[in-house]
Amino acid sequence: MSSSPRPSLKNIRRVASPSPSARPISNRRVHESDRLLNRIDSLKYSTTSDDDSCSINYSQYTPTSSNFDQLEWGDILPYYLPCLSWINKYNLKYFIGDLIGGLTLVFFQLPLSLSYATTLAHVPVISGLYSLGLAPLIYMIFGSVPQMVVGPEAPISLVVGQAVEPLLHHAKKKDLDPLEFVAVVTFISGASLLGFGLGRLGFLDNVLSPSLLKGFIAGVGIVMIINSLIIILGLEALLKQISDDPNQMDIHSPFDKVVFLIMNFGEFDSLSLKIGLVGFIVIMTSKILKKKYSRLILLPEIMIVVVVATILCQIYRWDLKGLAVIGKVKNSNVLTLYNPFAWKLIKKLGTSGFLCAMLGFFESTTASKSLGSSFDLPISSNRELVALGSLNIFGSFFGALPAFGGYGRSKINAISAKTTMSGAIMGLVTIFTIQVLLDYLYFVPECILSVVIAVIGISLIEEAPYELLFYWRTGGKDEMITFAITVFTTLFFSIEGGIAVGLVYSLIRVIKNSAESRIQILGRIPNSNTFVDADIPMAPQGGSQLNIFNDMRQTQLNHDAIEEVEGCLIIKIPEPLSFTNCSDLLVRLKRVEMYGSTRAHPASKRSRDLTMTQYVIFDLDSMNSIDSSAAKTMKELITNYQKRDIKSCFVKVAKSVRPILRDSGIRDLLRNDLKKLKYYEIQDLADNSENDGIKRCHNLIVDDPYFDHISDTLKLIDCFENMIV
């Protein structure tokens, strides 16, 4: 049977569109049998008998239903176990890309994990290595972002160190294993994130301000540099000695450590400082060259510096000359399991564990959304929460540091990686290092690991000036305050205090924004039925000025361009009403009644006489919902207006709002006002009256007692006043 010739696009019939658009209605649908829509050969053509034109037989498209019962297990499981979405398609090409990405990451992340554990968390290096080795294996199963790489993070490790170090310092047991504390912190972090994911609280990342995260990261970067300088200068033993002596200065906050550095700088160790300076210069030089020459992006300069310093330390035995090294790492061939359910430790470390969860969640979500935008991926914050929670709970049994996603290493991984198998390969190589190569870490100088931390700290704060400049140019006063509060509280108190104060201020901003009513006073453009916002910004004289006595931007009423309807206040409520903003609505309505503007300062003298407000017209075009608290407030408001002989009218009321207005009694109150305006009498007279004013008021309401347009309400008011006269 010969196939019919392919028709030209001119002869293809399309479904006519009832809309004003000339575009045809799309009824294409993706089928299992022809998912490749670009293949024209998969479309079936049929010839009509009326003419030579052809039509394409598309199946009728219907929007995807949200009915869970209609889904098959083959569709459900890949959503909750993302590894099933790619494992059947995995091939040699994918494996080569993942292998290159995984091995590249090992050279970058191994020395970093050593630095995080030793310098920031103040725990054995095995904790950082387990975090780097185990977390990616679990993320391979539950992770939904192919390019994401999870592992220990600098800010989180620093929080762990500040939580664990005081407990170890004051512990009576000298042989206490620090990983017991780490296990509890990691478990609390994982359990918190898993609970958030199962409770579908992923939307919380939209509440936290980006300026809060930037401020915290900048503060952490400064703290990392301060801590690293102490070790690079060889002053760590002196710091511990002074801290243990009650007669010496108290050293708790990062600012205290700065004072310590200034007072004891002359006691530095020359060998440690020389090694640290050489390592710092090499790493920073390579980073500068990488920015200039893109071909060097995969150069593992950190690994090279650490390996070279370790070999030289072993050859010249710098450890015998007083240089601090990692030393012998406690490790046995049998994995040691820890109990993360110790209730006493949970009570002591609960706050720190929850803080790690919040910071890690926000940082990981930022990374996943950035990767999703770059690679056009559908990102689910809830699935990422489940993945992060699961891998941290699993890692807690091995004493691993909390692990989260990082944007920097994920960008490097994205160069060649195809799936989450890349991170798993990095994890397997790390576990191999733990089992076979751990003894070779003996001669790693701690000053070199501190140099690595200092470089990471510099990279964390290098974006801060650009962020502040952007906020300054765009008038982001609240963002700058959030940034400054977080940074200064972190430096002068603690990391926990910095994030807590910054978070409180951000939540206050969120609450203020949600509780602020956005009502508008409407004025009519002369000789028209067009009503617009009458409040316009008032240009400051002499440049931008900050008025600390006013909580709003200065505005004025545009009397020149807009005419105010005599005796009427026309109010637009362009938002849903709820208990959060209904109280502020009353305050602003009172300002409108007294001053004719929503932005007038409450200390101003009254500019509108009581007799100027006889009618209040509410335009509810954009108010698509109202809760019971707001309905009660509106009823009390209208009742109060009626006591003062002020008539109220509602315009453009959404159908979704009408039932609660009926049940709350507001509809009956509005009908009473219509009776006072003689609306129903006017309807009886309209058919037989020769008065044009009365005829114009026939059938003004679309659904008793709601009007369709502001001009219809004004027609009724004009007719009512003419009848009185």
Side-chain angles (χ1 to χ4, degrees):
M1 182 177 178
S2 61
S3 60
S4 59
R6 179 178 298 181
S8 64
L9 293 178
K10 295 181 179 179
N11 295 328
I12 296 179
R13 288 182 175 179
R14 297 188 181 276
V15 181
S17 173
S19 68
S21 172
R23 300 288 297 168
I25 295 177
S26 175
N27 55 7
R28 296 191 182 190
R29 186 173 182 173
V30 179
H31 292 282
E32 294 294 333
S33 59
D34 57 351
R35 287 189 179 276
L36 298 178
L37 295 179
N38 293 329
R39 293 184 56 189
I40 192 67
D41 293 335
S42 64
L43 300 176
K44 298 179 180 179
Y45 301 97
S46 63
T47 305
T48 61
S49 57
D50 296 337
D51 49 33
D52 295 333
S53 60
C54 298
S55 61
I56 300 178
N57 293 331
Y58 298 116
S59 63
Q60 182 63 36
Y61 170 77
T62 55
T64 303
S65 171
S66 59
N67 190 354
F68 183 81
D69 297 334
Q70 296 179 356
L71 296 176
E72 299 179 356
W73 282 107
D75 299 322
I76 297 174
L77 286 179
Y79 178 83
Y80 293 100
L81 296 176
C83 63
L84 298 179
S85 63
W86 55 264
I87 196 168
N88 292 332
K89 306 174 184 178
Y90 204 73
N91 52 37
L92 181 61
K93 181 180 178 181
Y94 280 17
F95 175 75
I96 293 176
D98 290 340
L99 181 63
I100 295 174
L103 294 178
T104 302
L105 286 171
V106 168
F107 294 117
F108 282 98
Q109 295 302 308
L110 263 178
L112 286 180
S113 63
L114 299 178
S115 303
Y116 294 160
T118 303
T119 307
L120 298 181
H122 302 288
V123 296
V125 295
I126 194 70
S127 180
L129 292 175
Y130 272 137
S131 178
L132 187 67
L134 298 177
L137 299 178
I138 306 301
Y139 189 81
M140 180 189 67
I141 301 174
F142 295 102
S144 59
V145 185
Q147 295 80 14
M148 180 72 81
V149 180
V150 293
E153 287 288 315
I156 313 301
S157 301
L158 188 56
V159 173
V160 173
Q162 293 204 348
V164 171
E165 189 178 20
L167 296 179
L168 292 174
H169 181 71
H170 297 290
K172 296 181 179 179
K173 296 181 179 179
K174 299 299 182 181
D175 57 345
L176 188 64
D177 191 348
L179 297 191
E180 294 182 7
F181 296 93
V182 177
V184 174
V185 174
T186 305
F187 176 79
I188 295 173
S189 301
S192 301
L193 294 177
L194 183 61
F196 285 166
L198 297 178
R200 306 189 66 80
L201 300 180
F203 67 90
L204 291 176
D205 67 298
N206 299 321
V207 177
L208 299 179
S209 169
S211 57
L212 170 64
L213 178 64
K214 294 294 184 181
F216 174 76
I217 290 178
V220 166
I222 297 174
V223 173
M224 291 167 60
I225 294 173
I226 295 172
N227 292 341
S228 299
L229 281 175
I230 294 175
I231 299 177
I232 294 173
L233 294 173
L235 300 176
E236 189 175 24
L238 180 60
L239 174 67
K240 186 176 181 181
Q241 178 183 345
I242 294 177
S243 300
D244 293 339
D245 190 349
N247 297 322
Q248 298 286 341
M249 62 178 293
D250 292 330
I251 303 176
H252 297 289
S253 67
F255 181 75
D256 294 336
K257 294 181 179 179
V258 173
V259 175
F260 165 80
L261 281 172
I262 296 174
M263 296 178 60
N264 299 277
F265 181 79
E267 304 293 331
F268 69 89
D269 181 84
S270 59
L271 178 60
S272 178
L273 178 60
K274 291 176 182 178
I275 297 173
L277 280 177
V278 172
F280 179 80
I281 293 173
V282 172
I283 294 177
M284 293 303 296
T285 302
S286 63
K287 285 186 172 295
I288 295 173
L289 292 176
K290 280 185 176 182
K291 293 180 180 179
K292 190 174 182 180
Y293 305 102
S294 58
R295 296 180 180 179
L296 300 177
I297 190 171
L298 296 179
L299 177 68
E301 72 280 357
I302 295 178
M303 173 66 80
I304 294 174
V305 169
V306 172
V307 171
V308 171
T310 303
I311 295 174
L312 293 177
C313 180
Q314 184 176 7
I315 295 174
Y316 296 103
R317 296 308 303 263
W318 289 335
D319 57 315
L320 300 180
K321 298 179 182 180
L323 184 68
V325 296
I326 288 181
K328 185 172 180 59
V329 180
K330 181 181 178 182
N331 182 46
S332 60
N333 294 329
V334 180
L335 291 176
T336 302
L337 297 179
Y338 295 89
N339 176 24
F341 305 104
W343 180 245
K344 292 183 179 180
L345 294 180
I346 289 178
K347 292 192 294 183
K348 294 180 179 179
L349 299 170
T351 303
S352 299
F354 186 76
L355 179 59
C356 290
M358 292 297 95
L359 296 177
F361 161 59
F362 195 45
E363 189 170 355
S364 298
T365 304
T366 302
S368 63
K369 287 185 176 181
S370 299
L371 292 170
S373 300
S374 302
F375 297 95
D376 194 22
L377 301 172
I379 304 299
S380 170
S381 297
N382 294 314
R383 286 197 295 171
E384 286 299 296
L385 279 171
V386 171
L388 294 174
S390 301
L391 64 89
N392 278 296
I393 290 177
F394 181 78
S396 66
F397 291 97
F398 300 90
L401 286 173
F404 298 97
Y407 184 54
R409 58 185 170 215
S410 298
K411 284 177 61 178
I412 297 175
N413 184 48
I415 296 176
S416 61
K418 304 299 181 182
T419 67
T420 51
M421 178 65 76
S422 174
I425 292 174
M426 178 193 71
L428 292 174
V429 175
T430 303
I431 293 176
F432 174 80
T433 302
I434 295 174
Q435 296 299 320
V436 179
L437 305 177
L438 207 56
D439 292 338
Y440 294 94
L441 301 179
Y442 182 94
F443 291 100
V444 176
E446 291 187 3
C447 61
I448 285 295
L449 298 180
S450 297
V451 166
V452 174
I453 295 299
V455 172
I456 299 298
I458 292 174
S459 66
L460 292 181
I461 64 175
E462 64 183 1
E463 294 184 2
Y466 301 100
E467 294 286 334
L468 292 175
L469 181 60
F470 179 82
Y471 295 147
W472 177 265
R473 288 178 174 175
T474 56
K477 179 183 66 176
D478 288 329
E479 285 75 11
M480 295 179 67
I481 293 176
T482 304
F483 185 94
I485 286 177
T486 306
V487 171
F488 284 109
T489 308
T490 300
L491 294 180
F492 287 94
F493 293 94
S494 64
I495 289 180
E496 293 87 347
I499 192 64
V501 174
L503 182 60
V504 168
Y505 184 76
S506 296
L507 292 178
I508 290 175
R509 289 177 56 193
V510 172
I511 295 172
K512 179 183 177 182
N513 183 66
S514 62
E516 182 180 1
S517 175
R518 294 165 178 80
I519 67 170
Q520 302 172 3
I521 176 173
L522 300 185
R524 181 168 56 188
I525 297 179
N527 302 320
S528 73
N529 281 327
T530 303
F531 295 83
V532 296
D533 188 2
D535 278 332
I536 61 173
M538 183 169 58
Q541 297 179 356
S544 178
Q545 298 177 359
L546 176 63
N547 187 351
I548 62 175
F549 298 105
N550 196 348
D551 61 344
M552 303 174 189
R553 60 185 176 91
Q554 294 291 321
T555 61
Q556 62 185 5
L557 198 63
N558 189 357
H559 292 287
D560 297 333
I562 302 173
E563 62 180 11
E564 183 179 358
V565 181
E566 181 67 28
C568 296
L569 276 180
I570 306 176
I571 306 299
K572 182 175 183 179
I573 305 179
E575 60 182 348
L577 279 183
S578 64
F579 72 96
T580 59
N581 59 358
C582 61
S583 296
D584 189 61
L585 172 68
L586 296 181
V587 175
R588 292 178 182 269
L589 281 174
K590 191 63 178 178
R591 291 187 185 182
V592 170
E593 186 181 343
M594 294 178 64
Y595 310 110
S597 173
T598 60
R599 304 292 182 174
H601 195 281
S604 304
K605 294 182 179 180
R606 182 169 188 141
S607 59
R608 298 183 84 255
D609 189 77
L610 292 173
T611 58
M612 294 180 65
T613 306
Q614 302 175 27
Y615 313 97
V616 180
I617 303 171
F618 292 94
D619 183 355
L620 308 182
D621 187 23
S622 301
M623 195 187 81
N624 53 17
S625 66
I626 180 173
D627 65 7
S628 298
S629 298
K632 185 175 184 296
T633 301
M634 288 295 294
K635 182 179 180 181
E636 294 173 352
L637 175 67
I638 297 174
T639 303
N640 182 266
Y641 281 157
Q642 290 182 346
K643 291 179 181 179
R644 298 162 53 194
D645 197 25
I646 298 176
K647 287 84 174 176
S648 304
C649 298
F650 279 17
V651 178
K652 298 179 182 178
V653 180
K655 292 183 179 180
S656 58
V657 176
R658 295 177 185 179
I660 193 170
L661 296 182
R662 177 196 63 210
D663 298 337
S664 63
I666 294 177
R667 186 181 67 174
D668 295 334
L669 294 177
L670 295 175
R671 282 178 175 170
N672 290 335
D673 283 338
L674 285 180
K675 291 178 181 178
K676 294 179 181 179
L677 289 170
K678 301 185 182 300
Y679 173 78
Y680 301 107
E681 296 180 18
I682 293 173
Q683 300 307 303
D684 295 335
L685 298 174
D687 293 334
N688 301 321
S689 176
E690 296 181 358
N691 189 323
D692 292 337
I694 295 179
K695 286 183 177 181
R696 291 173 57 210
C697 296
H698 185 55
N699 292 334
L700 293 178
I701 57 177
V702 292
D703 184 16
D704 193 5
Y706 311 120
F707 292 84
D708 188 45
H709 197 272
I710 297 174
S711 60
D712 296 336
T713 310
L714 297 178
K715 291 177 185 178
L716 175 61
I717 294 174
D718 291 340
C719 183
F720 167 71
E721 292 188 345
N722 290 331
M723 289 180 65
I724 293 178
V725 174

